[in-house]
Amino acid sequence: MASFIIKGGLPLSGELRIHGAKNAALPILAASILASGEQEISDVPKLLDIRVMIEILNHLGVKVTHKDHTVSLQTSTLSSTRIPEPLMGKMRSSIFLMGPLLAKYGEVTISRPGGCAIGERPIDIHLDGLKKLGADIIESHGTISCRARQLTGAQIFLRFPSVGATENLMMAASLAKGTTTISNAAREPEIVDLQDYLNVMGARVRGAGTDQIIIEGVEHLTPVSYKIIPDRIIAGTLLIATAITRGEVALTNVRAEHLQALLTNLQTSGIEIRTYNDIMTLKVSRGLRSIDLIETDPHPGFPTDLQALMMAYLSTVEGTSVVKEKVFEGRFRHVDELNRMGTNISTDLNRAYIRGVSRLSGAMVEATDLRAGAALVIAGLKAEGETIVENIHHIDRGYEKLEGMLQALGADIRRSDES
Ligand code: UD1
């Protein structure tokens, strides 16, 4: 199994372009099957979760290639509506195919999805919404079969603003008969990107980015070319990595409006950030302060996907900071691993108390999920001596060669394929 070997201590510096967003590309690739014909989606990162989505589309009969960062699809050859268990188990986001398959082909069969080891991750909000649109859903022995001759528009209230459920229902409702209103919808930038893509295809969706999305169903959608928005979590990762190493970088292809909660917190702790169009610079030039409380929340709140990384950074800042995880239960599995590197973090239910320490030390640690793994890597960039992060397949799910990005900014990190 591959691992990263990191020699810490070098401040990051230089310039880097941020690639397209995995979390926007996944639902958009799923949505592509809503239109029959040839499509091109550009700025799609080459990472594991995308590879799995392409594998599933291939399995369904769609012809897909991913060359340079463009995915070309021929969706009219789709010949199956069943996603087999081994593929479903590889990635939770395969659930995005439910809405499109059901809307366009009237049926879909999946098994319960796999994914990151962060809490329960149920799919009841997806299923309840699809039922509201008129789907018959039968669940037995871990297989979920949905059917609907014609989905019909409905008023749907989400009990929690789930990102995936909002996206799934937007896709399904695009081809439903009549108007659908999704209330308490998630407001993430990736949802706006999906709305833009659907509308370019001829859908009539409005309200994404607010908590109410209205979809007037249309009879069919047309294949198009589309470019994915930049990945705000990768940008956030590199900003936090620069902060922890006390470096100075310029990132391009960044949208500051997608990162407000992170930027505000970094600035509160004394970091200097400037933006000019899609360029963002970060510099550490003075003493840094701890942060009283950061609470993760659905967008525009502080993103749960940056929680572990922020904790690693706060560990290197004098004083006590508190982080409260409000989106996923059990998303603190990185704490024990970080503490092995010399951090002083304790947890109590969904709160973590981070006491700043003067030094981190290299250790052998294990990535337990995607973002937890990234947090260990950036802690390794700061730590004295050598850090080995094992099980980096988790990290590869969401970063296109994280080591390459960090090397480009001057870090000493390499990948080993030895076990
Ligand atoms: C998406 C992101 C992920 C991010 C998360 C929260 C993608 C591919 N992934 O995941 O990186 O961490 O948003 O910002 O975009 N829930 C239910 N029932 C459901 C669905 C969700 O109870 O049917 C709960 C979850 O267990 C969790 C919370 O709602 O506690 C948020 O989940 P959700 O917003 O759906 O996250 P994902 O779409 O899976």
Side-chain angles (χ1 to χ4, degrees), residues 22-24 26-27 49 92-93 95-96 118-128 159-167 186 188 190 232-233 297-299 303-305 325-329 331 370-371 397:
K22 156 182 102 81
N23 287 355
L26 287 170
D49 273 5
R92 183 187 157 81
S93 306
I95 196 177
F96 288 137
I118 44 173
E120 266 281 293
R121 303 200 85 164
I123 57 167
D124 58 304
I125 306 176
H126 297 249
L127 299 183
D128 287 351
R159 70 167 173 80
F160 184 89
S162 154
V163 178
T166 302
E167 293 167 336
E188 270 64 6
E190 293 74 21
R232 64 195 165 98
I233 305 300
D297 264 316
H299 194 78
T304 173
D305 285 349
E325 172 58 55
K326 286 165 59 191
V327 177
F328 286 110
E329 273 172 47
R331 202 173 196 181
L370 165 55
R371 308 300 172 186
R397 285 191 35 224

Side-chain angles (χ1 to χ4, degrees), residues 142-181:
T143 298
I144 303 170
S145 302
C146 311
R147 266 169 210 284
R149 199 169 294 154
Q150 166 74 66
L151 294 176
T152 42
Q155 304 270 345
I156 304 172
F157 176 86
L158 307 186
R159 70 167 173 80
F160 184 89
S162 154
V163 178
T166 302
E167 293 167 336
N168 225 341
L169 298 173
M170 282 165 75
M171 297 188 275
S174 292
L175 288 182
K177 201 172 163 71
T179 302
T180 299
T181 306

